[in-house]
Amino acid sequence: SPGHYTTDLSRHPQLDIDVGAVRDIYSESAVSVREYETIDDVDIELHINVSFLDEEVASAWKVTRTEPIILRLRFSLSQYLDGPEPTVEVFQPTCKDCFCLGVQLKRILTTFISNQWKHLSNEFLNAQQRKRHSWFKAGGTIKKFRAGLSIFSPITKCSSVPLIQGPGVKTRPAGQELRVTRLMSRSMSCTKRDLHTSSPIGQVCLNMPIYYNDVYMYPLIHCKSIPTLEYGFLVQVMKYSEQRIPTLNDYCVVCDEQHVFQNGSMLKPAVCTRELCVFSFNTLGVMSGAAEDVATGAEVVDLLVAMCRAALESARKSIIFDPYPSVVDPHDPKSLAFNPKKRSYERLQRALDSITSIREITQGPYVEIKKQMDKLDPLAHPLLQWIISSNRSHIVKLPSSRQLKFMHTSHQFLLLSSPPAKEARFRTARKLHGSTFAFHGSHIENWHSILRNGLVNASYTKLQLHGAAYGKGIYLSPISSISFGYSGMGKGQHHMPTKEELVQHYNRVNTVLQCRPTQSRFLQSRNLNCVALCEVITSKDLQKHGNIWVCLISDHVCTRFFFVYEDGQVGDANINTQDVRIQKEILRVIGIYLN
């Protein structure tokens, strides 16, 4: 029966030892067993705790953080490691179908186990375990050892763990104390060869914590490092899974090669641009249909299409329309209808023009509307799916009760693009230097790329549009009107604005009428202004030139909210994020979404 493990002569003793090791190092509930004696099979279910993920990260990854990810491995009951290679299933109890993260993790673990299986045997494992000192033996004194050194127990979490900052024990909130305790209660065996002093960003995991200057510091291990076998094969699989889960966004969901981004990795896991991966991704069944996304976030899909259109219609499209779609031909699954190597902006424009408005899609049966789209252009619906699935940022429409009223627009969105690793580094920097809020303005045509590649320092690159009057860096301002200047200051203009022009624009925007009191659920106009509200670290790397700020380190800027205005309406142009009342309201809304 499930979870019941009775003595049976046909069961291999090494299996007993490995199951016991999981229970000793983790907990009794971390592993469950189901035997099929008549066919000499056994299912081992390993429970991976993912509660360390922030609520919104879990939402972006479509993971339920309050329940474990279950790895189900099927072995030979009597032969265990000497038998056939185990099959792998990955799921969550409430999400067995369409668990996209599970599909990626299954591919990773299948490859990992297959590679390990080449040299693995019960005898080999037994020899590895005999090397271990007796006090570490499963069922021995390991629990007492861990209890004595609990504060120094190595953590299997990767650099993407949310905040694991050190106390100010007196002032640390109870919730944070619980989170640190939960993370600290985990144990990891790691040999010296697992440790690295440096590693590429996005590939590193955190190991033994060292408390210094009110912050927990960590040595680094590569997230693809192979954990020790000293505690058995099952523990090794769990450790490897724990190393990989927080950095899944860094790797292609198909080939497991690291993504290459100018500004580091993005939040959502995605497929890379290799053609073989695009074809495989198309057949994996993990790309959610547009129907689901329109049903749950129609306003977000509407915004993504508007951004795509603005980039495609820009005079700078050859520079800013990045990435270009990789879309499989619906009539020929072995060829790409849209291919980054053979760009056709005209064909892309025709397909985009044939996408039914999101408003209409929400009003009728989706199947019928898709048929109409297919008749207009067979590439319209595949392009819509690509626009949705290629977005690597987490965007959520804010309900009216959670909107920032002083921004005077109903088109307000939570916008998170930082992956767990960057968010963790940001929070550590915030502990050391503090943070504040500021606006970042960029024309609507640029956001198609920003959502997929990140907020980059474009100064002195081909992406630069507005010049760099105050030097290289990411430009921000505590005053909304200054950032609005950057967001709408001449679509397609390439001249460098002077400081005088910025002041003139500030004064001109101050006279603009406030937004209409009632606004449609969907965007009505193609004349859009947008601005992001970011949290920025207040270190010496934030250079302030009056109300124009320049941040030299991209890791020190995290987007939090996104606001869209139609037909030149920009609401109250005098918003100042340094106003105590404004800051209090921003923190209230952020507190709802971020732990």
Side-chain angles (χ1 to χ4, degrees), residues 41-58:
D41 276 350
V42 59
D43 279 349
I44 306 294
E45 291 188 352
L46 304 175
H47 297 225
I48 308 296
N49 184 357
V50 291
S51 61
F52 65 87
L53 291 174
D54 272 338
E55 191 65 52
E56 286 306 314
V57 171

Side-chain angles (χ1 to χ4, degrees), residues 180-192:
V180 172
T181 303
R182 182 171 67 244
L183 289 167
M184 285 296 182
S185 69
R186 309 293 292 277
S187 165
M188 173 177 177
S189 54
C190 180
T191 60
K192 289 182 180 179

Side-chain angles (χ1 to χ4, degrees), residues 85 141 161 250 313 328 337 364 376 451 496 510:
E85 185 178 314
T141 58
V161 294
D250 288 345
E313 293 177 352
V328 175
L376 283 172
L451 295 184
M496 179 184 292
N510 267 336

Side-chain angles (χ1 to χ4, degrees), residues 52-99:
F52 65 87
L53 291 174
D54 272 338
E55 191 65 52
E56 286 306 314
V57 171
S59 176
W61 288 8
K62 297 183 179 178
V63 173
T64 305
R65 62 184 290 269
T66 54
E67 63 182 33
I69 289 178
I70 295 177
L71 316 179
R72 179 182 288 162
L73 308 177
R74 175 163 288 193
F75 297 92
S76 162
L77 180 64
S78 63
Q79 299 177 75
Y80 188 36
L81 302 181
D82 294 331
E85 185 178 314
T87 58
V88 182
E89 291 180 66
V90 180
F91 60 91
Q92 285 198 292
T94 59
C95 185
K96 292 193 176 183
D97 300 317
C98 299
F99 184 36

